[in-house]
């Protein structure tokens, strides 16, 4: 058997976690039943499916788009390429992405300074519409990102829509601080929540030696 390393690139889901634009209603709320009250311990959680490390379904932005249980798992459990964009402090453009070796069928993951943030940064780096169009032209199958969203300050969420309309998976909220640029095997299957517009992911990267 080959030697390999597994890297957990998921956020901890907890009551004081980072959420998009610090929206309080996105914070998960836990309720416990303890051994003292009953004879077992059980946890209930109320949360938004777009907090933490999660995958967006097309239904998130497209009225008649597919829901999360219909995601093609071949484009969520696959080889991927991690690209280092930590030097980018604002907009990730087509010109920035054209520096990398992006091929048809790639799942790409963009590492930015957001992986090092301990609080939500309203000015996080984001992928603009033209960059999204470029990725569509390259015929990628998925885009992973370490901020809580792949875009900000764009009318109509055009980056999301451009990718979703072509069936490109969007994986957000990754933690990539310890991950070096390179190729990995990605496991990022979303929880199978029938009818939902997104779901949590326990995303991991596997590096074979």
């Amino acid at each position: 058997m080959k030697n390999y390393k597994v890297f957990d690139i998921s956020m901890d889901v907890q009551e004081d976690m980072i959420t998009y634009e610090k929206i309080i209603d996105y914070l998960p709320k836990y309720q416990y039943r303890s051994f003292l009250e009953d004879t077992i311990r059980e946890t209930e959680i109320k949360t938004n499916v777009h907090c933490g490390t999660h995958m967006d379904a097309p239904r998130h932005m497209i009225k008649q788009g597919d829901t999360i249980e219909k995601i093609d798992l071949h484009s969520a459990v696959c080889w991927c390429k991690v690209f280092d964009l930590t030097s980018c402090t604002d907009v990730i453009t087509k010109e920035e992405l054209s520096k990398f070796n992006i091929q048809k069928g790639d799942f790409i993951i963009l590492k930015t300074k957001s992986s090092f943030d301990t609080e939500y940064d309203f000015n996080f780096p984001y992928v603009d519409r033209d960059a999204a169009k470029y990725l569509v032209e390259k015929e990628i199958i998925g885009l992973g990102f370490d901020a809580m969203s792949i875009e900000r300050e764009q009318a109509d969420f055009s980056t999301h829509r451009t990718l979703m309309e072509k069936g490109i998976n969007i994986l957000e909220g990754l933690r990539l601080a310890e991950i070096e640029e390179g190729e990995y095997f990605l496991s990022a299957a979303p929880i199978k929540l029938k009818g939902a517009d997104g779901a949590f992911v326990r995303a991991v990267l596997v590096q074979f030696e």
Side-chain angles (χ1 to χ4, degrees):
M1 180 179 292
K2 291 183 178 180
N3 293 326
Y4 60 92
K5 293 181 180 178
V6 177
F7 301 93
D8 187 349
I9 56 170
S10 308
M11 298 177 69
D12 290 340
V13 178
Q14 54 192 24
E15 292 178 307
D16 61 348
M17 68 190 301
I18 298 173
T19 60
Y20 180 69
E21 293 189 345
K22 296 187 177 181
I23 298 174
I24 294 176
D25 287 345
Y26 277 21
L27 288 171
K29 298 174 181 62
Y30 284 80
Q31 184 174 342
Y32 303 96
R33 289 197 304 166
S34 72
F35 285 108
L36 295 177
E37 296 167 350
D38 302 287
T39 57
I40 58 173
R41 177 179 289 122
E42 292 183 345
T43 303
E44 295 180 6
I45 181 172
K46 180 181 179 181
T47 188
N48 187 292
V49 296
H50 296 280
C51 78
T53 304
H54 65 279
M55 183 173 286
D56 290 342
R59 184 69 61 92
H60 182 42
M61 296 286 176
I62 301 172
K63 189 173 183 179
Q64 300 301 325
D66 283 343
T67 47
I68 197 67
E69 80 279 8
K70 296 179 181 177
I71 290 291
D72 181 2
L73 293 183
H74 289 91
S75 57
V77 181
C78 58
W79 288 97
C80 72
K81 296 176 180 177
V82 177
F83 297 129
D84 192 329
L85 281 160
T86 50
S87 61
C88 181
T89 58
D90 190 22
V91 184
I92 297 172
T93 63
K94 172 183 176 179
E95 287 68 32
E96 289 279 355
L97 295 180
S98 64
K99 300 174 185 177
F100 299 107
N101 178 27
I102 301 175
Q103 301 294 323
K104 178 180 178 180
D106 281 348
F107 192 117
I108 69 168
I109 293 177
L110 306 182
K111 176 182 177 179
T112 76
K113 68 183 188 69
S114 294
S115 281
F116 302 89
D117 291 342
T118 56
E119 294 186 1
Y120 183 81
D121 180 0
F122 283 88
N123 296 310
F124 63 86
Y126 70 98
V127 180
D128 72 9
R129 177 176 53 197
D130 289 339
K133 289 181 178 179
Y134 173 72
L135 294 177
V136 167
E137 292 170 1
K138 301 297 285 188
E139 298 185 60
I140 68 168
I141 61 171
L143 172 62
F145 203 54
D146 52 4
M148 294 310 303
S149 177
I150 57 173
E151 67 182 311
R152 61 174 169 85
E153 299 176 355
Q154 292 192 125
D156 237 3
F157 299 98
S158 53
T159 294
H160 277 85
R161 293 180 186 278
T162 297
L163 297 173
M164 287 176 168
E165 287 171 354
K166 296 300 182 180
I168 296 172
N169 284 348
I170 298 173
L171 181 62
E172 298 171 323
L174 299 174
R175 299 290 85 182
L176 304 168
E178 306 302 320
I179 304 301
E180 296 182 356
E181 186 171 285
E183 294 193 23
Y184 300 83
F185 190 81
L186 169 70
S187 175
I191 297 173
K192 200 173 183 180
L193 299 176
K194 187 174 178 63
D197 50 71
F200 288 119
V201 171
R202 180 68 181 268
V204 301
L205 294 177
V206 182
Q207 183 180 56
F208 293 92
E209 298 178 341

